């Protein structure tokens, strides 16, 4: 378990103290507690959590966080992420028997929707006459699978979807989630695929109204967002299995940066990916060495997350066995 310095702890406290409060906090906490309670008392054959009669629970974060520039936000800075990784990983975790809390950026890719066209609402349907609507034959299989798989996952209490937009919402929700999962211990996992802002405008130094363009070029000073992985590991959920991600555009520095993150934040694995090849391969960096995980290129339907989640689930099983009390 890592420990954090008083300075970092102060930065984290001041980030949360100055954040606008989460609007629907009570509703989020109630949903989380209900979901965790339901899954903590479920048995699932092969996938039973090794420490007891619990289903494993993973929190998958997905999509990029926004940084508002105005309190009544018109403009914001964004972090790139389509949400594909998080959505595809969620499907694979559900398939592996996990209960998934999917913390996602509004408007990004959703689980079970990969085979649908970009604008499913407009492209999948047709009107045989003025009173009827039906799914086009060409999309019927994809729509059927998406609706059935999503409804099964939600209906069986295996999938809870919680949306965020801003860095403030994301980090407050992550904290609520970690706190709620604390007692699940080694059976819980954090899989932090969201692209999280490193810089932000503190709420109390942000202008309330739309910034006016008439005043000429804009100078903004961005403060650094404290790395929340450190407090997640040391205080919020120290017994959870934790997988973080490292995204770079320069492949020459990727593995070095991922290795440093592994050591600094004492996470159990860092998934290193380069922007342009992220759908083909990733490298899982951990204390037991680096493993390259690729999509099966001979199978057109294969995605890198199929093999990645298999490996992560294996590592989680070993972790649970080692931390069995
Ligand atoms: O969504 P796709 O288009 O499919 O793309 C997937 C992806 C490339 C976005 C994904 O695979 C990925 O790499 N996500 C993490 C991107 C990222 O934020 O990397 P980073 O190097 O900035 O941060 C590393 C880790 O620190 C992250 O796990 C993040 O959760 C964490 N972090 C970041 C900032 C911060 N203030 N606190 C944090 O804890």
């Amino acid at each position: 378990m890592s420990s954090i310095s008083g300075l970092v702890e102060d930065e984290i406290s001041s980030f949360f103290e100055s954040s606008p409060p989460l609007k629907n906090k009570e509703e989020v906490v109630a949903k989380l507690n209900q979901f965790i309670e339901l899954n903590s008392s479920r048995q699932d054959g092969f996938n039973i959590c090794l420490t007891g009669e619990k289903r494993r629970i993973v929190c998958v974060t997905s999509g990029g966080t926004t940084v508002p520039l105005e309190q009544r936000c018109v403009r914001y800075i964004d972090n790139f992420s389509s949400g594909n990784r998080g959505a595809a990983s969620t499907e694979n975790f559900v398939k592996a028997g996990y209960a998934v809390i999917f913390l996602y950026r509004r408007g990004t890719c959703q689980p079970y929707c990969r085979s649908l066209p970009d604008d499913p609402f407009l492209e999948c349907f047709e009107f045989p006459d003025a009173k009827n609507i039906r799914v086009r034959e060409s999309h019927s299989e994809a729509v059927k699978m998406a609706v059935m798989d999503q409804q099964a996952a939600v209906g069986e209490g295996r999938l809870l979807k919680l949306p965020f937009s801003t860095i403030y919402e994301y980090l407050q929700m992550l904290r609520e989630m970690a706190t709620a999962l604390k007692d699940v211990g080694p059976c819980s996992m954090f899989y932090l695929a969201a692209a999280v802002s490193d810089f932000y405008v503190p709420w109390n130094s942000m202008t309330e109204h739309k910034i006016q363009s008439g005043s000429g070029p804009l100078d903004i000073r961005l403060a650094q967002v404290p790395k929340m992985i450190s407090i997640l590991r040391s205080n919020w959920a120290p017994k959870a299995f934790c997988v973080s991600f490292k995204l770079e555009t320069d492949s020459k520095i990727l593995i070095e940066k991922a290795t440093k993150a592994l050591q600094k934040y004492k996470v159990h694995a860092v998934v290193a990916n380069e922007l342009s090849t992220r759908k083909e391969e990733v490298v899982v960096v951990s204390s037991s060495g680096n493993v390259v995980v690729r999509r099966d290129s001979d199978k057109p339907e294969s995605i890198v997350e199929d093999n990645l989640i298999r490996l992560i689930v294996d590592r989680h099983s070993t972790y649970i066995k080692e931390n069995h009390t």
Side-chain angles (χ1 to χ4, degrees):
M1 195 196 316
S2 65
S3 62
I4 54 172
S5 72
L7 189 66
V8 176
E9 217 161 336
D10 289 349
E11 280 171 10
I12 292 172
S13 304
S14 80
F15 176 90
F16 284 115
E17 276 159 23
S18 63
S19 295
L22 202 56
K23 284 198 189 94
N24 53 349
K25 182 174 165 181
E26 270 141 48
E27 189 193 329
V28 168
V29 172
K31 281 185 181 168
L32 274 172
N33 287 336
Q34 199 184 18
F35 187 79
I36 293 167
E37 204 180 300
L38 174 75
N39 285 291
S40 297
S41 56
R42 285 252 181 125
Q43 285 197 34
D44 260 325
F46 159 70
N47 289 304
I48 191 170
C49 183
L50 301 169
T51 55
E53 299 186 348
K54 293 173 178 178
R55 196 183 262 171
R56 297 181 195 179
I57 303 178
V58 58
C59 167
V60 174
T61 72
S62 184
T65 57
T66 65
V67 167
L69 299 185
E70 299 121 344
Q71 289 183 352
R72 300 186 190 210
C73 182
V74 174
R75 303 185 184 90
Y76 56 85
I77 302 172
D78 207 351
N79 253 58
F80 167 78
S81 166
S82 65
N84 237 303
R85 173 88 74 225
S89 302
T90 292
E91 292 174 32
N92 276 284
F93 276 122
V94 170
K95 212 192 285 173
Y98 281 68
V100 183
I101 302 165
F102 181 60
L103 180 60
Y104 70 97
R105 161 77 179 278
R106 277 187 192 86
T108 55
C109 288
Q110 294 296 298
Y112 308 112
C113 294
R114 272 180 295 122
S115 308
L116 297 178
D118 280 350
D119 197 338
F121 192 67
L122 294 177
E123 291 178 52
C124 288
F125 301 103
E126 62 187 357
F127 295 89
D129 54 63
K131 284 197 177 148
N132 289 300
I133 181 169
R134 71 175 177 217
V135 178
R136 280 181 208 279
E137 185 56 39
S138 52
H139 294 301
S140 65
E141 193 55 27
V143 170
K144 190 176 91 188
M145 293 315 293
V147 172
M148 279 171 53
D149 289 348
Q150 137 91 21
Q151 286 182 354
V154 173
E156 289 164 16
R158 287 172 179 276
L159 178 59
L160 173 67
K161 302 208 287 187
L162 297 172
F164 68 84
S165 294
T166 68
I167 181 75
Y168 297 112
E169 289 169 344
Y170 172 80
L171 290 176
Q172 290 182 72
M173 288 167 90
L174 185 66
R175 182 177 60 174
E176 293 305 333
M177 218 165 275
T179 314
L181 279 168
K182 203 167 188 171
D183 290 342
V184 181
C187 292
S188 61
M189 186 197 308
F190 286 84
Y191 179 91
L192 305 168
V196 183
S197 323
D198 284 317
F199 305 100
Y200 77 121
V201 183
W203 190 255
N204 39 23
S205 62
M206 195 187 294
T207 168
E208 181 186 350
H209 293 284
K210 185 185 166 202
I211 298 167
Q212 295 300 308
S213 59
S215 341
L218 182 62
D219 283 324
I220 305 176
R221 192 175 159 78
L222 300 173
Q224 207 148 7
V225 179
K227 278 276 184 191
M228 294 294 169
I229 299 190
S230 52
I231 197 161
L232 179 107
R233 288 286 300 125
S234 61
N235 296 19
W236 294 349
K239 292 187 177 154
F241 188 73
C242 188
V243 179
S244 78
F245 279 70
K246 177 49 70 184
L247 172 65
E248 292 295 341
T249 51
D250 180 355
S251 57
K252 292 196 281 301
I253 62 169
L254 178 63
I255 300 303
E256 184 195 329
K257 296 281 297 264
T259 309
K260 276 196 184 143
L262 181 81
Q263 290 157 357
K264 187 164 181 191
Y265 302 114
K266 301 198 168 46
V267 289
H268 301 98
V270 178
V271 180
N273 52 177
E274 196 262 301
L275 188 67
S276 63
T277 58
R278 71 190 191 285
K279 291 188 175 173
E280 295 301 316
E281 70 168 49
V282 298
V283 181
V284 177
V285 175
S286 72
S287 57
S288 55
N290 301 349
V291 180
V292 181
V293 180
R294 292 198 177 86
R295 181 178 89 76
D296 298 329
S297 51
D298 49 336
K299 295 184 198 145
E301 296 292 294
S302 160
I303 51 172
V304 72
E305 287 79 7
D306 296 337
N307 295 329
L308 173 61
I309 302 309
R310 209 168 290 131
L311 179 73
I312 297 292
V313 168
D314 251 28
R315 296 283 174 91
H316 189 202
S317 299
T318 308
Y319 176 76
I320 293 168
K321 275 183 211 145
E322 286 170 359
N323 289 276
H324 180 86
T325 46

